[in-house]
Amino acid sequence: MAERFAVGAFNANNMEMVQAIIETAQEERAPVILQVSQGAIRYAGLDYAVGLVKIAANQVDVPVVLHLDHGTSFEQNVLCLRAGFTSLMFDGSKLPYEENVAITRKVCEIAHIVGIPVEAELGRVLQSTDGVTLEEVEAAMTDPDQAKQFIELTGADSLAVAVGSVHAMKSRQADLDISRIEAIRQQAGVPLVLHGSSGVKHESVLEAIEHGICKVNVATYLNQAFVRGMRDGFDKHPDEVDPRKYLSISRENIKEAVREKVRLFGSNERIDSGGGFKSPPRQYRSVELGHAEE
Ligand code: G3H
Ligand code: ZN
């Protein structure tokens, strides 16, 4: 938050994605958050997810976080805590406010006992697959005053905010409400998380990072890169029966997608050869973009 860059939080569903994300983080000297959704847990199995990330993380010296993305129950958070996740999320955005507060607080209480941070969500980042309107997006936005109270009541370590993005958009069209991000940052005082980044214009992501976004979630953009790799593979090698021919193209595509995002978020070249954060920190990304920096 102080250095105004964001850590990329990349959703992984299989071994190739885990490998690509972690290898790229290492090449870019970037701290990285590898996140697993409940859908990915259903698909791969909790122990596989943890095992894959641990193996990959042990091969690099940049910091790697294993994060639960959109855990919608207390139970899911406990299961992930026990399985070895190093960061949790309780997403109570579909619940009435009081219930969201109560369960977020409960998750924070148990996670903090063992030093694990918890992301919470206030307001609601909608799903593009539900065919949302601009009015609905605006109506679901996070209220800065409520965010202050929410953080005080729950003790959440970071906050997912609804500020104009929508999950699972296939192209970058959305502009974020930057003044709302700034107001939430001032009121809540915790690092803010941008969900649904695949549909947000890059300029808007950069501005959001300047104003308090510290973690940017990327899922759809990676899935698109993965599937494009398979399609290209089928086109190039129509008679091939070895799936590795296709999957390796997908893995390379994911690497390039992660590299692009890590550089956009300014988290590249942050980690020194000993695996610690560079001190003094490298120049802000905003300087590279030509903005004046105090
Ligand atoms: O929690 C995951 C993210 O918010 C991903 O959003 O699929 O639009 O990149 P996205
Ligand atoms: Zn999300």
Side-chain angles (χ1 to χ4, degrees), residues 139-168:
M141 283 192 185
T142 310
D143 177 80
D145 295 326
Q146 197 178 41
K148 178 179 164 59
Q149 187 196 47
F150 183 82
I151 294 298
E152 283 168 3
L153 292 173
T154 61
D157 302 276
S158 63
L159 189 64
V161 288
V163 288
S165 60
V166 174
H167 281 117

PDB file of all heavy atoms in Angstrom, residues 139-168:
ATOM      1  N   ALA A 139     -25.428   0.121  -8.106  1.00  0.00           N
ATOM      2  CA  ALA A 139     -26.198  -0.106  -6.870  1.00  0.00           C
ATOM      3  C   ALA A 139     -25.472  -1.050  -5.917  1.00  0.00           C
ATOM      4  O   ALA A 139     -25.690  -1.009  -4.704  1.00  0.00           O
ATOM      5  CB  ALA A 139     -27.565  -0.678  -7.224  1.00  0.00           C
ATOM      6  N   ALA A 140     -24.595  -1.899  -6.470  1.00  0.00           N
ATOM      7  CA  ALA A 140     -23.904  -2.895  -5.634  1.00  0.00           C
ATOM      8  C   ALA A 140     -22.550  -2.398  -5.116  1.00  0.00           C
ATOM      9  O   ALA A 140     -21.808  -3.141  -4.465  1.00  0.00           O
ATOM     10  CB  ALA A 140     -23.705  -4.182  -6.442  1.00  0.00           C
ATOM     11  N   MET A 141     -22.232  -1.135  -5.400  1.00  0.00           N
ATOM     12  CA  MET A 141     -20.892  -0.628  -5.031  1.00  0.00           C
ATOM     13  C   MET A 141     -20.706  -0.503  -3.515  1.00  0.00           C
ATOM     14  O   MET A 141     -21.661  -0.309  -2.763  1.00  0.00           O
ATOM     15  CB  MET A 141     -20.642   0.715  -5.704  1.00  0.00           C
ATOM     16  CG  MET A 141     -20.295   0.570  -7.181  1.00  0.00           C
ATOM     17  SD  MET A 141     -19.669   2.116  -7.843  1.00  0.00           S
ATOM     18  CE  MET A 141     -19.491   1.701  -9.568  1.00  0.00           C
ATOM     19  N   THR A 142     -19.452  -0.582  -3.104  1.00  0.00           N
ATOM     20  CA  THR A 142     -19.099  -0.493  -1.686  1.00  0.00           C
ATOM     21  C   THR A 142     -19.305   0.924  -1.174  1.00  0.00           C
ATOM     22  O   THR A 142     -18.887   1.892  -1.817  1.00  0.00           O
ATOM     23  CB  THR A 142     -17.610  -0.873  -1.505  1.00  0.00           C
ATOM     24  OG1 THR A 142     -17.386  -2.110  -2.179  1.00  0.00           O
ATOM     25  CG2 THR A 142     -17.233  -0.996  -0.037  1.00  0.00           C
ATOM     26  N   ASP A 143     -19.904   1.021   0.002  1.00  0.00           N
ATOM     27  CA  ASP A 143     -20.113   2.320   0.630  1.00  0.00           C
ATOM     28  C   ASP A 143     -18.920   2.631   1.546  1.00  0.00           C
ATOM     29  O   ASP A 143     -18.627   1.849   2.466  1.00  0.00           O
ATOM     30  CB  ASP A 143     -21.418   2.272   1.442  1.00  0.00           C
ATOM     31  CG  ASP A 143     -21.648   3.568   2.188  1.00  0.00           C
ATOM     32  OD1 ASP A 143     -22.116   4.517   1.563  1.00  0.00           O
ATOM     33  OD2 ASP A 143     -21.317   3.631   3.390  1.00  0.00           O
ATOM     34  N   PRO A 144     -18.233   3.756   1.320  1.00  0.00           N
ATOM     35  CA  PRO A 144     -17.018   4.040   2.102  1.00  0.00           C
ATOM     36  C   PRO A 144     -17.256   4.129   3.612  1.00  0.00           C
ATOM     37  O   PRO A 144     -16.446   3.625   4.394  1.00  0.00           O
ATOM     38  CB  PRO A 144     -16.541   5.384   1.538  1.00  0.00           C
ATOM     39  CG  PRO A 144     -17.131   5.457   0.167  1.00  0.00           C
ATOM     40  CD  PRO A 144     -18.431   4.742   0.237  1.00  0.00           C
ATOM     41  N   ASP A 145     -18.354   4.730   4.035  1.00  0.00           N
ATOM     42  CA  ASP A 145     -18.618   4.849   5.482  1.00  0.00           C
ATOM     43  C   ASP A 145     -18.880   3.474   6.093  1.00  0.00           C
ATOM     44  O   ASP A 145     -18.417   3.160   7.188  1.00  0.00           O
ATOM     45  CB  ASP A 145     -19.836   5.756   5.746  1.00  0.00           C
ATOM     46  CG  ASP A 145     -19.541   7.184   5.313  1.00  0.00           C
ATOM     47  OD1 ASP A 145     -18.379   7.608   5.448  1.00  0.00           O
ATOM     48  OD2 ASP A 145     -20.460   7.845   4.815  1.00  0.00           O
ATOM     49  N   GLN A 146     -19.638   2.673   5.359  1.00  0.00           N
ATOM     50  CA  GLN A 146     -19.921   1.333   5.863  1.00  0.00           C
ATOM     51  C   GLN A 146     -18.632   0.498   5.924  1.00  0.00           C
ATOM     52  O   GLN A 146     -18.454  -0.322   6.818  1.00  0.00           O
ATOM     53  CB  GLN A 146     -20.950   0.661   4.950  1.00  0.00           C
ATOM     54  CG  GLN A 146     -21.604  -0.545   5.591  1.00  0.00           C
ATOM     55  CD  GLN A 146     -22.659  -1.162   4.692  1.00  0.00           C
ATOM     56  OE1 GLN A 146     -22.468  -1.279   3.475  1.00  0.00           O
ATOM     57  NE2 GLN A 146     -23.772  -1.561   5.271  1.00  0.00           N
ATOM     58  N   ALA A 147     -17.724   0.770   4.968  1.00  0.00           N
ATOM     59  CA  ALA A 147     -16.453   0.026   4.947  1.00  0.00           C
ATOM     60  C   ALA A 147     -15.662   0.282   6.225  1.00  0.00           C
ATOM     61  O   ALA A 147     -15.052  -0.626   6.801  1.00  0.00           O
ATOM     62  CB  ALA A 147     -15.630   0.423   3.725  1.00  0.00           C
ATOM     63  N   LYS A 148     -15.688   1.504   6.688  1.00  0.00           N
ATOM     64  CA  LYS A 148     -14.961   1.849   7.919  1.00  0.00           C
ATOM     65  C   LYS A 148     -15.520   1.038   9.092  1.00  0.00           C
ATOM     66  O   LYS A 148     -14.779   0.386   9.834  1.00  0.00           O
ATOM     67  CB  LYS A 148     -15.115   3.358   8.188  1.00  0.00           C
ATOM     68  CG  LYS A 148     -14.449   3.856   9.450  1.00  0.00           C
ATOM     69  CD  LYS A 148     -14.690   5.360   9.551  1.00  0.00           C
ATOM     70  CE  LYS A 148     -14.420   5.937  10.920  1.00  0.00           C
ATOM     71  NZ  LYS A 148     -13.084   5.752  11.414  1.00  0.00           N
ATOM     72  N   GLN A 149     -16.841   1.050   9.198  1.00  0.00           N
ATOM     73  CA  GLN A 149     -17.483   0.320  10.294  1.00  0.00           C
ATOM     74  C   GLN A 149     -17.237  -1.188  10.153  1.00  0.00           C
ATOM     75  O   GLN A 149     -16.950  -1.892  11.130  1.00  0.00           O
ATOM     76  CB  GLN A 149     -18.986   0.612  10.274  1.00  0.00           C
ATOM     77  CG  GLN A 149     -19.703   0.041  11.480  1.00  0.00           C
ATOM     78  CD  GLN A 149     -21.205  -0.015  11.268  1.00  0.00           C
ATOM     79  OE1 GLN A 149     -21.684  -0.473  10.225  1.00  0.00           O
ATOM     80  NE2 GLN A 149     -21.958   0.469  12.254  1.00  0.00           N
ATOM     81  N   PHE A 150     -17.314  -1.674   8.924  1.00  0.00           N
ATOM     82  CA  PHE A 150     -17.139  -3.110   8.654  1.00  0.00           C
ATOM     83  C   PHE A 150     -15.764  -3.586   9.112  1.00  0.00           C
ATOM     84  O   PHE A 150     -15.637  -4.629   9.749  1.00  0.00           O
ATOM     85  CB  PHE A 150     -17.332  -3.358   7.149  1.00  0.00           C
ATOM     86  CG  PHE A 150     -17.260  -4.805   6.739  1.00  0.00           C
ATOM     87  CD1 PHE A 150     -18.362  -5.637   6.875  1.00  0.00           C
ATOM     88  CD2 PHE A 150     -16.087  -5.336   6.210  1.00  0.00           C
ATOM     89  CE1 PHE A 150     -18.297  -6.977   6.491  1.00  0.00           C
ATOM     90  CE2 PHE A 150     -16.015  -6.668   5.823  1.00  0.00           C
ATOM     91  CZ  PHE A 150     -17.126  -7.489   5.962  1.00  0.00           C
ATOM     92  N   ILE A 151     -14.748  -2.810   8.793  1.00  0.00           N
ATOM     93  CA  ILE A 151     -13.381  -3.205   9.178  1.00  0.00           C
ATOM     94  C   ILE A 151     -13.228  -3.143  10.701  1.00  0.00           C
ATOM     95  O   ILE A 151     -12.641  -4.034  11.320  1.00  0.00           O
ATOM     96  CB  ILE A 151     -12.334  -2.326   8.459  1.00  0.00           C
ATOM     97  CG1 ILE A 151     -12.358  -2.589   6.948  1.00  0.00           C
ATOM     98  CG2 ILE A 151     -10.923  -2.564   9.014  1.00  0.00           C
ATOM     99  CD1 ILE A 151     -12.013  -4.012   6.509  1.00  0.00           C
ATOM    100  N   GLU A 152     -13.799  -2.115  11.305  1.00  0.00           N
ATOM    101  CA  GLU A 152     -13.719  -2.013  12.777  1.00  0.00           C
ATOM    102  C   GLU A 152     -14.404  -3.200  13.448  1.00  0.00           C
ATOM    103  O   GLU A 152     -13.899  -3.762  14.415  1.00  0.00           O
ATOM    104  CB  GLU A 152     -14.394  -0.710  13.248  1.00  0.00           C
ATOM    105  CG  GLU A 152     -13.526   0.514  13.012  1.00  0.00           C
ATOM    106  CD  GLU A 152     -14.292   1.829  13.196  1.00  0.00           C
ATOM    107  OE1 GLU A 152     -15.493   1.801  13.557  1.00  0.00           O
ATOM    108  OE2 GLU A 152     -13.671   2.873  12.937  1.00  0.00           O
ATOM    109  N   LEU A 153     -15.557  -3.593  12.906  1.00  0.00           N
ATOM    110  CA  LEU A 153     -16.326  -4.669  13.539  1.00  0.00           C
ATOM    111  C   LEU A 153     -15.752  -6.063  13.290  1.00  0.00           C
ATOM    112  O   LEU A 153     -15.912  -6.955  14.109  1.00  0.00           O
ATOM    113  CB  LEU A 153     -17.786  -4.645  13.040  1.00  0.00           C
ATOM    114  CG  LEU A 153     -18.640  -3.455  13.459  1.00  0.00           C
ATOM    115  CD1 LEU A 153     -19.993  -3.505  12.755  1.00  0.00           C
ATOM    116  CD2 LEU A 153     -18.833  -3.438  14.977  1.00  0.00           C
ATOM    117  N   THR A 154     -15.103  -6.231  12.138  1.00  0.00           N
ATOM    118  CA  THR A 154     -14.682  -7.594  11.772  1.00  0.00           C
ATOM    119  C   THR A 154     -13.200  -7.872  12.010  1.00  0.00           C
ATOM    120  O   THR A 154     -12.810  -9.016  12.220  1.00  0.00           O
ATOM    121  CB  THR A 154     -14.941  -7.866  10.276  1.00  0.00           C
ATOM    122  OG1 THR A 154     -14.171  -6.918   9.499  1.00  0.00           O
ATOM    123  CG2 THR A 154     -16.408  -7.743   9.928  1.00  0.00           C
ATOM    124  N   GLY A 155     -12.369  -6.846  11.906  1.00  0.00           N
ATOM    125  CA  GLY A 155     -10.920  -7.059  11.992  1.00  0.00           C
ATOM    126  C   GLY A 155     -10.341  -7.652  10.717  1.00  0.00           C
ATOM    127  O   GLY A 155      -9.214  -8.180  10.724  1.00  0.00           O
ATOM    128  N   ALA A 156     -11.076  -7.565   9.607  1.00  0.00           N
ATOM    129  CA  ALA A 156     -10.558  -8.107   8.335  1.00  0.00           C
ATOM    130  C   ALA A 156      -9.279  -7.370   7.933  1.00  0.00           C
ATOM    131  O   ALA A 156      -9.124  -6.177   8.193  1.00  0.00           O
ATOM    132  CB  ALA A 156     -11.614  -7.964   7.245  1.00  0.00           C
ATOM    133  N   ASP A 157      -8.382  -8.123   7.293  1.00  0.00           N
ATOM    134  CA  ASP A 157      -7.056  -7.575   6.967  1.00  0.00           C
ATOM    135  C   ASP A 157      -7.035  -6.849   5.629  1.00  0.00           C
ATOM    136  O   ASP A 157      -6.178  -6.007   5.383  1.00  0.00           O
ATOM    137  CB  ASP A 157      -6.041  -8.719   6.928  1.00  0.00           C
ATOM    138  CG  ASP A 157      -6.016  -9.446   8.252  1.00  0.00           C
ATOM    139  OD1 ASP A 157      -5.320  -8.982   9.164  1.00  0.00           O
ATOM    140  OD2 ASP A 157      -6.734 -10.468   8.396  1.00  0.00           O
ATOM    141  N   SER A 158      -7.928  -7.237   4.733  1.00  0.00           N
ATOM    142  CA  SER A 158      -8.013  -6.551   3.432  1.00  0.00           C
ATOM    143  C   SER A 158      -9.465  -6.614   2.985  1.00  0.00           C
ATOM    144  O   SER A 158     -10.243  -7.446   3.485  1.00  0.00           O
ATOM    145  CB  SER A 158      -7.087  -7.202   2.405  1.00  0.00           C
ATOM    146  OG  SER A 158      -7.486  -8.531   2.173  1.00  0.00           O
ATOM    147  N   LEU A 159      -9.802  -5.739   2.052  1.00  0.00           N
ATOM    148  CA  LEU A 159     -11.217  -5.640   1.662  1.00  0.00           C
ATOM    149  C   LEU A 159     -11.392  -5.675   0.150  1.00  0.00           C
ATOM    150  O   LEU A 159     -10.813  -4.862  -0.578  1.00  0.00           O
ATOM    151  CB  LEU A 159     -11.800  -4.332   2.220  1.00  0.00           C
ATOM    152  CG  LEU A 159     -13.322  -4.186   2.081  1.00  0.00           C
ATOM    153  CD1 LEU A 159     -14.071  -5.242   2.892  1.00  0.00           C
ATOM    154  CD2 LEU A 159     -13.760  -2.788   2.508  1.00  0.00           C
ATOM    155  N   ALA A 160     -12.197  -6.636  -0.306  1.00  0.00           N
ATOM    156  CA  ALA A 160     -12.599  -6.684  -1.710  1.00  0.00           C
ATOM    157  C   ALA A 160     -13.700  -5.658  -1.907  1.00  0.00           C
ATOM    158  O   ALA A 160     -14.694  -5.663  -1.176  1.00  0.00           O
ATOM    159  CB  ALA A 160     -13.127  -8.074  -2.053  1.00  0.00           C
ATOM    160  N   VAL A 161     -13.495  -4.783  -2.879  1.00  0.00           N
ATOM    161  CA  VAL A 161     -14.428  -3.672  -3.053  1.00  0.00           C
ATOM    162  C   VAL A 161     -15.136  -3.741  -4.406  1.00  0.00           C
ATOM    163  O   VAL A 161     -14.554  -4.168  -5.406  1.00  0.00           O
ATOM    164  CB  VAL A 161     -13.696  -2.313  -2.906  1.00  0.00           C
ATOM    165  CG1 VAL A 161     -13.325  -2.071  -1.454  1.00  0.00           C
ATOM    166  CG2 VAL A 161     -12.457  -2.224  -3.791  1.00  0.00           C
ATOM    167  N   ALA A 162     -16.392  -3.313  -4.386  1.00  0.00           N
ATOM    168  CA  ALA A 162     -17.162  -3.224  -5.626  1.00  0.00           C
ATOM    169  C   ALA A 162     -17.074  -1.781  -6.092  1.00  0.00           C
ATOM    170  O   ALA A 162     -17.657  -0.880  -5.478  1.00  0.00           O
ATOM    171  CB  ALA A 162     -18.606  -3.631  -5.373  1.00  0.00           C
ATOM    172  N   VAL A 163     -16.308  -1.561  -7.153  1.00  0.00           N
ATOM    173  CA  VAL A 163     -16.013  -0.182  -7.589  1.00  0.00           C
ATOM    174  C   VAL A 163     -16.129  -0.034  -9.111  1.00  0.00           C
ATOM    175  O   VAL A 163     -15.492   0.822  -9.707  1.00  0.00           O
ATOM    176  CB  VAL A 163     -14.602   0.252  -7.104  1.00  0.00           C
ATOM    177  CG1 VAL A 163     -14.593   0.499  -5.606  1.00  0.00           C
ATOM    178  CG2 VAL A 163     -13.530  -0.780  -7.486  1.00  0.00           C
ATOM    179  N   GLY A 164     -16.928  -0.904  -9.733  1.00  0.00           N
ATOM    180  CA  GLY A 164     -17.158  -0.760 -11.171  1.00  0.00           C
ATOM    181  C   GLY A 164     -16.771  -1.965 -11.996  1.00  0.00           C
ATOM    182  O   GLY A 164     -17.121  -2.043 -13.169  1.00  0.00           O
ATOM    183  N   SER A 165     -16.042  -2.908 -11.402  1.00  0.00           N
ATOM    184  CA  SER A 165     -15.676  -4.104 -12.170  1.00  0.00           C
ATOM    185  C   SER A 165     -16.761  -5.163 -12.023  1.00  0.00           C
ATOM    186  O   SER A 165     -17.561  -5.136 -11.089  1.00  0.00           O
ATOM    187  CB  SER A 165     -14.330  -4.661 -11.696  1.00  0.00           C
ATOM    188  OG  SER A 165     -14.406  -5.011 -10.332  1.00  0.00           O
ATOM    189  N   VAL A 166     -16.759  -6.084 -12.976  1.00  0.00           N
ATOM    190  CA  VAL A 166     -17.718  -7.195 -12.980  1.00  0.00           C
ATOM    191  C   VAL A 166     -16.921  -8.455 -13.286  1.00  0.00           C
ATOM    192  O   VAL A 166     -16.040  -8.438 -14.149  1.00  0.00           O
ATOM    193  CB  VAL A 166     -18.796  -6.960 -14.075  1.00  0.00           C
ATOM    194  CG1 VAL A 166     -19.713  -8.162 -14.195  1.00  0.00           C
ATOM    195  CG2 VAL A 166     -19.607  -5.700 -13.775  1.00  0.00           C
ATOM    196  N   HIS A 167     -17.216  -9.535 -12.564  1.00  0.00           N
ATOM    197  CA  HIS A 167     -16.476 -10.783 -12.795  1.00  0.00           C
ATOM    198  C   HIS A 167     -16.689 -11.347 -14.205  1.00  0.00           C
ATOM    199  O   HIS A 167     -17.791 -11.260 -14.757  1.00  0.00           O
ATOM    200  CB  HIS A 167     -16.969 -11.871 -11.823  1.00  0.00           C
ATOM    201  CG  HIS A 167     -16.414 -11.745 -10.446  1.00  0.00           C
ATOM    202  ND1 HIS A 167     -17.188 -11.517  -9.345  1.00  0.00           N
ATOM    203  CD2 HIS A 167     -15.137 -11.838  -9.987  1.00  0.00           C
ATOM    204  CE1 HIS A 167     -16.428 -11.481  -8.265  1.00  0.00           C
ATOM    205  NE2 HIS A 167     -15.175 -11.659  -8.621  1.00  0.00           N
ATOM    206  N   ALA A 168     -15.619 -11.964 -14.698  1.00  0.00           N
ATOM    207  CA  ALA A 168     -15.677 -12.809 -15.906  1.00  0.00           C
ATOM    208  C   ALA A 168     -16.031 -12.077 -17.199  1.00  0.00           C
ATOM    209  O   ALA A 168     -16.637 -12.657 -18.099  1.00  0.00           O
ATOM    210  CB  ALA A 168     -16.635 -13.986 -15.687  1.00  0.00           C
TER     211      ALA A 168
END
